Amino acid sequence: MRVLFSLILSTLLVLLARGATAEVISYQQQIQPIFNQKCIACHACYDSPCQLNLGSSEGASRGAHKDSVYNGTRLKAQATTRIFVDAFGAEQWRDKGFYDVLAKNNQQAALMQQIIDLGAKNNQWQPNQLLPKNLDIGIYRANQCATQAEFASYAAKNPHGGMPFAVTGLTAEERQILSQWLNQGAPMDWQDWQPTAIEQQQILQWENLLNGRSLKQQLVGRWLYEHLFLAHIYFPEGETSHFFQWVRSRTPSGEPIDLIATRSPNEAVGTDFYYRLRPVADVLVHKTHITFELSAAKLARTQTLFFTPQWEVTQLPGYGAYHRSNPFAAFEAIPAEARYRFMLENAEYFVRNFIRGPVCRGQIATDVIRDQFWAMFQAPEHDLYITYPEYRQQVTALLDMPGQQDELLDLLGLWKVYKKKRNAYEELRQKAYAESELPDWSHIWQGNDNALLTIFRQHDSASVRKGLIGEIPQTLWLMDYPLLERTYYQLVVNFDVFGNVAHQAQTRLYFDLIRNGAEVNFLRLLPPKSRKKLLHGWYQKSGKLKMLMDYTQVDSHTETRLDLPKKQAKDAFAEQLLVRLSALNARPDRLNRCPDGQPCYRENVSVAQQQTDQLLSQLASRQAADLQLINFLPEATLLRVAYSDQPRETYSLLRNRAHSNVAFMMGESLRYQPKLDTLTLYPEVLSSYPNFIFNIPANEIADFVVQAQQVKTRNDFSQLTERWGIRRTHPDFWYYFHDAAEQIKQQQPREYGLLDMNRYENL
């Protein structure tokens, strides 16, 4: 009887095991969450290693490619490989050179299985240990994009090249689920989410606006599309997780979208089309999540701005090279004030576009800007391009931008042409403003909290926030409509991340001129005798050569009506700005600009948080010559403060690198001034790319600050990271890493997206 019972029990267990094995793994419910937790931090956007994007079933099915999107040396433009745009389904992606990572082949395990197994075998790190020094984890490392046939050789040469790479890996349960799914043939059960009824209603209203049939409506629709095509659109009454993007479709509203793929948003499509709002299908990642609200109030405001003024269109502009390079000519029929006010009232969005998008690795743009600066905008009623039609007509032809031609041999000649045009424009502008009313505080736009912005740069990435954060910066920008529109078109609409070296060089060189223009515009607000000295301070050493070769002379004669001292005029301006526009300053900052003898903390937080603010503020706005800790910190550090009786809070500690000038495409290290580096401390997650995390119990903050201020050597810094640091090998690395994004979700739910760990350092 006992033997029979054992036999029955064994049979039942076998049947249960077979049933468990036969259970089909759900991609949407089981696999994508694993990818979100352990993979997307590296495998999202264009900088995914081997272009393996795991943010959706489409990306996983697409597979990998040997060509890198980021290649600053390619002589010919590369074919575009934008997910959900350039191809759909595995077969179309195979035609574009992508190879399968999910399928078995000739009794060989799927490529994904093999690389996971390699990671499980060789990447078992000791808790919170430093990674081997010879393991290259930098973002510029050469990707080894092995196929199934090449994998054995790859594994032999790269024993630590398994996945997840150089970080705490998958759990046993996660590996089992992935293996079971791959053994089942990697079935996909992805179901796209559907807009709610109220979202569908609002989609129709906006699509009707952009798809009007009169010439005036068509021109406005095109302008709006070219300015919103990169946005993740949301409706305030809609679901918090629902976002949409504008596309051009062969089908009208109410029908399934039939996407028309073009290399740029201002390229001809060759057929009738409609502007449509399409749901964002892949997982949201913070580095590409550039949000824009479409509300009933914004719809009414847009209609008022563009259709209340009296204006006519007799002929629509074409999509040729000239109109693509010169939006001022293409859209000259639309009142310039309408265009500028739309951009001003949403300035953070537009600056975020060219600071953070459309690429995930932006050194082409970011190596031309300082690590921390403030931006303001010219008031429309004092912008001569808006108010002076004769001047506008005179300069419009000079505002076209390079990049439409990408022949390498023509690079120098093209650069000379566009530099000459830009400088001719600057000379006309300087003359016109010298003959107009003198500037005063009313010349700075003060329409809403987009009026004051702070931009941070971390080498090849950057971020922007409303408000004035950090100490008074070395430089400030004043952007007028021609500068704002040119920057947007040069770095967003017309920039091709798949372009060749000539295209990318033209973009970089012209943005250098734009930055110089924004700085010179700001100097016009200061006393004339202070301008040259300040400008020379911004363009030290080799920068002086650039001033002679490429830039126009600053106006050092025309007066200003701002009451500022000749000495320290820039700092005096900034101090008055903080007072005069305090109501528009979205982020008052007492941690970095703490008045002598005043408390250095926020007013609207708990006592415990105020105590933390006060202690951590001792690290803020210090130079490396005084605080040697800075020499060992990466560019974007997160300080996670854990409280026993309230939710944790994460601060950003940003290292602002100093340079003698930022005027050249290469040789940044030669212009670097490390002793002048400073720190900005702020109680938000300010970067999509954290370089390191410290987790500090609130009752140890005082110890952390004392020890941080005592750091003098690499060994001292290592003691800091040993005690409080979260290294890539920490057993709970993924918890702490994703918790930073969770703080964004709690503070600004619409801005939530997964962070990127490609730049997380081995400290």
Side-chain angles (χ1 to χ4, degrees):
M1 188 70 178
R2 184 176 298 174
V3 173
L4 179 61
F5 176 77
S6 298
L7 181 61
I8 293 172
L9 181 61
S10 299
T11 303
L12 286 172
L13 289 173
V14 169
L15 291 173
L16 286 171
R18 287 179 178 174
T21 303
E23 179 188 353
V24 177
I25 298 295
S26 165
Y27 178 87
Q28 191 153 21
Q29 299 299 321
Q30 295 170 276
I31 301 302
Q32 189 64 60
I34 295 174
F35 288 164
N36 293 355
Q37 183 71 15
K38 299 290 177 70
C39 305
I40 284 180
C42 292
H43 286 274
C45 194
Y46 297 131
D47 56 353
S48 301
C50 306
Q51 295 195 56
L52 178 59
N53 188 323
L54 297 176
S56 64
S57 60
E58 176 78 5
S61 299
R62 179 176 78 160
H65 199 292
K66 287 185 175 291
D67 290 344
S68 172
V69 173
Y70 294 100
N71 182 350
T73 62
R74 59 176 167 244
L75 301 181
K76 291 189 176 296
Q78 186 170 303
T80 57
T81 52
R82 298 161 297 182
I83 201 162
F84 297 115
V85 175
D86 294 312
F88 294 90
E91 185 176 345
Q92 290 186 18
W93 287 116
R94 298 294 167 266
D95 292 340
K96 291 182 175 291
F98 283 79
Y99 54 89
D100 201 327
V101 300
L102 304 179
K104 299 178 182 180
N105 185 19
N106 297 327
Q107 304 303 312
Q108 190 177 9
L111 185 58
M112 181 176 285
Q113 182 69 67
Q114 293 184 70
I115 205 162
I116 288 172
D117 290 345
L118 181 64
K121 177 183 177 182
N122 294 334
N123 294 353
Q124 299 300 314
W125 315 107
Q126 292 298 312
N128 218 33
Q129 74 166 91
L130 281 167
L131 292 168
K133 291 184 178 180
N134 62 351
L135 187 61
D136 185 2
I137 62 173
I139 61 171
Y140 297 107
R141 68 183 184 274
N143 285 321
Q144 306 294 319
C145 302
T147 62
Q148 275 185 317
E150 299 162 339
F151 188 78
S153 175
Y154 166 84
K157 294 177 182 177
N158 302 277
H160 291 302
M163 297 296 152
F165 175 66
V167 68
T168 296
L170 300 168
T171 65
E173 181 183 6
E174 289 168 337
R175 287 199 305 274
Q176 181 182 5
I177 292 171
L178 283 168
S179 296
Q180 190 172 339
W181 175 66
L182 290 167
N183 285 331
Q184 292 174 354
M188 297 292 182
D189 60 341
W190 188 268
Q191 295 292 321
D192 291 331
W193 58 267
Q194 298 300 314
T196 65
I198 193 167
E199 287 170 344
Q200 290 174 336
Q201 180 183 2
Q202 292 170 321
I203 286 170
L204 183 59
Q205 291 175 348
W206 280 93
E207 288 183 353
N208 286 341
L209 175 67
L210 267 68
N211 290 314
R213 292 295 90 192
S214 73
L215 294 182
K216 182 185 291 189
Q217 290 170 322
Q218 288 183 63
L219 190 60
V220 171
R222 174 177 168 180
W223 189 90
L224 288 171
Y225 168 69
E226 290 182 13
H227 287 75
L228 297 176
F229 78 99
L230 203 61
H232 281 182
I233 300 293
Y234 69 90
F235 302 102
E237 299 86 359
E239 295 291 328
T240 304
S241 61
H242 284 191
F243 294 89
F244 305 83
Q245 277 189 294
W246 285 106
V247 297
R248 293 187 287 188
S249 170
R250 297 176 182 86
T251 51
S253 299
E255 296 183 18
I257 290 174
D258 183 6
L259 182 78
I260 302 172
T262 57
R263 198 170 186 102
S264 68
N266 57 352
E267 186 177 322
V269 299
T271 186
D272 291 339
F273 66 87
Y274 303 86
Y275 299 112
R276 302 289 304 279
L277 279 168
R278 179 180 69 165
V280 174
D282 45 354
V283 172
L284 298 174
V285 291
H286 193 260
K287 59 190 173 185
T288 59
H289 188 44
I290 303 174
T291 60
F292 192 88
E293 177 186 284
L294 293 185
S295 62
K298 190 159 288 181
L299 179 64
R301 177 60 174 161
T302 303
Q303 291 170 325
T304 298
L305 279 175
F306 289 97
F307 297 111
T308 297
Q310 296 298 313
W311 58 281
E312 297 297 331
V313 184
T314 57
Q315 184 178 357
L316 292 174
Y319 287 90
Y322 176 66
H323 283 126
R324 291 201 307 271
S325 70
N326 193 330
F328 305 95
F331 299 104
E332 62 181 343
I334 302 176
E337 183 174 358
R339 290 176 270 157
Y340 187 32
R341 285 195 181 276
F342 186 91
M343 297 186 77
L344 280 178
E345 292 169 10
N346 304 283
E348 185 196 29
Y349 161 78
F350 285 105
V351 175
R352 193 187 298 183
N353 266 267
F354 57 74
I355 287 296
R356 208 166 84 185
V359 300
C360 316
R361 189 184 299 175
Q363 194 176 358
I364 286 292
T366 59
D367 67 359
V368 78
I369 60 177
R370 298 275 178 182
D371 276 31
Q372 179 241 351
F373 61 95
W374 296 346
M376 306 159 293
F377 303 92
Q378 185 104 1
E381 56 270 24
H382 298 291
D383 187 325
L384 296 185
Y385 193 86
I386 308 297
T387 62
Y388 188 3
E390 292 81 3
Y391 168 75
R392 181 167 64 247
Q393 186 175 13
Q394 187 180 18
V395 302
T396 290
L398 299 174
L399 296 175
D400 55 335
M401 293 161 280
Q404 299 301 317
Q405 302 176 55
D406 61 1
E407 290 296 327
L408 188 60
L409 295 178
D410 294 337
L411 176 59
L412 182 59
L414 287 169
W415 166 238
K416 288 180 178 179
V417 168
Y418 284 101
K419 182 181 72 172
K420 183 177 180 180
K421 283 188 174 184
R422 179 268 185 186
N423 286 345
Y425 161 73
E426 286 293 334
E427 289 171 0
L428 287 171
R429 184 187 189 281
Q430 187 177 117
K431 183 175 183 295
Y433 275 92
E435 295 172 353
S436 66
E437 59 181 342
L438 299 178
D440 59 24
W441 287 101
S442 70
H443 286 228
I444 299 172
W445 181 67
Q446 301 174 37
N448 63 28
D449 63 0
N450 285 271
L452 304 173
L453 304 178
T454 300
I455 293 95
F456 291 103
R457 174 236 185 185
Q458 293 95 41
H459 185 53
D460 61 1
S461 67
S463 59
V464 58
R465 290 293 188 278
K466 292 179 182 178
L468 302 178
I469 304 173
E471 64 180 340
I472 295 172
Q474 184 179 6
T475 61
L476 291 87
W477 287 16
L478 179 66
M479 301 192 82
D480 58 8
Y481 175 54
L483 274 174
L484 185 59
E485 189 77 282
R486 277 184 294 160
T487 309
Y488 178 76
Y489 266 82
Q490 186 69 5
L491 296 183
V492 182
V493 177
N494 289 330
F495 181 70
D496 184 1
V497 69
F498 299 92
N500 71 354
V501 62
H503 170 80
Q504 297 190 28
Q506 290 177 71
T507 301
R508 165 63 179 81
L509 290 166
Y510 197 80
F511 190 38
D512 174 55
L513 298 181
I514 287 175
R515 185 215 60 250
N516 173 256
E519 293 169 340
V520 170
N521 284 3
F522 163 69
L523 289 175
R524 182 173 170 266
L525 302 175
L526 306 186
K529 291 187 178 179
S530 68
R531 295 170 191 164
K532 279 190 176 181
K533 183 177 180 180
L534 278 167
L535 195 63
H536 289 167
W538 300 342
Y539 294 88
Q540 301 170 31
K541 299 181 179 179
S542 58
K544 290 181 169 57
L545 178 64
K546 197 67 179 286
M547 290 176 67
L548 291 172
M549 293 172 54
D550 290 344
Y551 308 144
T552 55
Q553 294 293 313
V554 65
D555 179 356
S556 57
H557 302 289
T558 305
E559 292 292 337
T560 176
R561 287 191 292 181
L562 276 71
D563 185 16
L564 299 169
K566 294 176 183 177
K567 293 184 178 180
Q568 304 298 319
K570 185 253 302 179
D571 289 356
F573 169 87
E575 289 166 359
Q576 290 191 36
L577 178 74
L578 288 165
V579 174
R580 287 176 176 270
L581 275 67
S582 60
L584 298 175
N585 187 2
R587 286 176 170 81
D589 184 1
R590 300 191 70 169
L591 278 68
N592 297 283
R593 300 188 302 272
C594 184
D596 291 339
Q598 298 295 315
C600 305
Y601 54 71
R602 294 163 287 165
E603 295 181 353
N604 57 343
V605 296
S606 70
V607 172
Q609 289 171 293
Q610 289 179 342
Q611 291 171 344
T612 299
D613 284 356
Q614 187 74 43
L615 288 166
L616 289 176
S617 69
Q618 297 176 55
L619 305 177
S621 299
R622 302 268 296 275
Q623 286 191 345
D626 171 52
L627 182 66
Q628 294 186 42
L629 165 74
I630 298 175
N631 296 321
F632 305 101
L633 284 173
E635 294 180 315
T637 301
L638 299 182
L639 305 181
R640 182 184 186 274
V641 181
Y643 296 95
S644 60
D645 56 352
Q646 65 184 69
R648 56 81 185 95
E649 185 170 31
T650 301
Y651 295 72
S652 291
L653 192 62
L654 303 182
R655 177 177 179 174
N656 307 312
R657 296 179 183 269
H659 300 84
S660 60
N661 67 79
V662 289
F664 290 90
M665 187 181 299
M666 294 178 288
E668 180 177 349
S669 61
L670 301 176
R671 293 174 277 115
Y672 180 38
Q673 299 173 310
K675 291 184 179 180
L676 300 180
D677 286 0
T678 61
L679 287 182
T680 296
L681 172 76
Y682 203 75
E684 285 184 25
V685 177
L686 294 179
S687 175
S688 303
Y689 309 89
N691 301 136
F692 199 71
I693 298 171
F694 288 99
N695 182 56
I696 314 162
N699 61 1
E700 296 179 20
I701 286 291
D703 292 344
F704 175 83
V705 171
V706 169
Q707 192 167 330
Q709 293 183 97
Q710 292 174 347
V711 168
K712 298 291 188 295
T713 65
R714 173 64 64 180
N715 184 60
D716 294 340
F717 184 69
S718 294
Q719 292 180 30
L720 204 69
T721 57
E722 284 285 349
R723 181 172 176 184
W724 292 291
I726 304 297
R727 291 180 172 139
R728 297 168 72 112
T729 56
H730 193 287
D732 295 320
F733 171 82
W734 290 110
Y735 167 77
Y736 290 113
F737 184 81
H738 291 306
D739 186 60
E742 285 298 315
Q743 177 162 317
I744 297 173
K745 189 175 187 177
Q746 292 162 13
Q747 292 178 333
Q748 299 173 290
R750 299 281 189 185
E751 300 302 317
Y752 169 75
L754 297 175
L755 300 179
D756 185 295
M757 68 157 290
N758 277 296
R759 295 158 178 80
Y760 204 95
E761 296 191 12
N762 184 31
L763 299 178

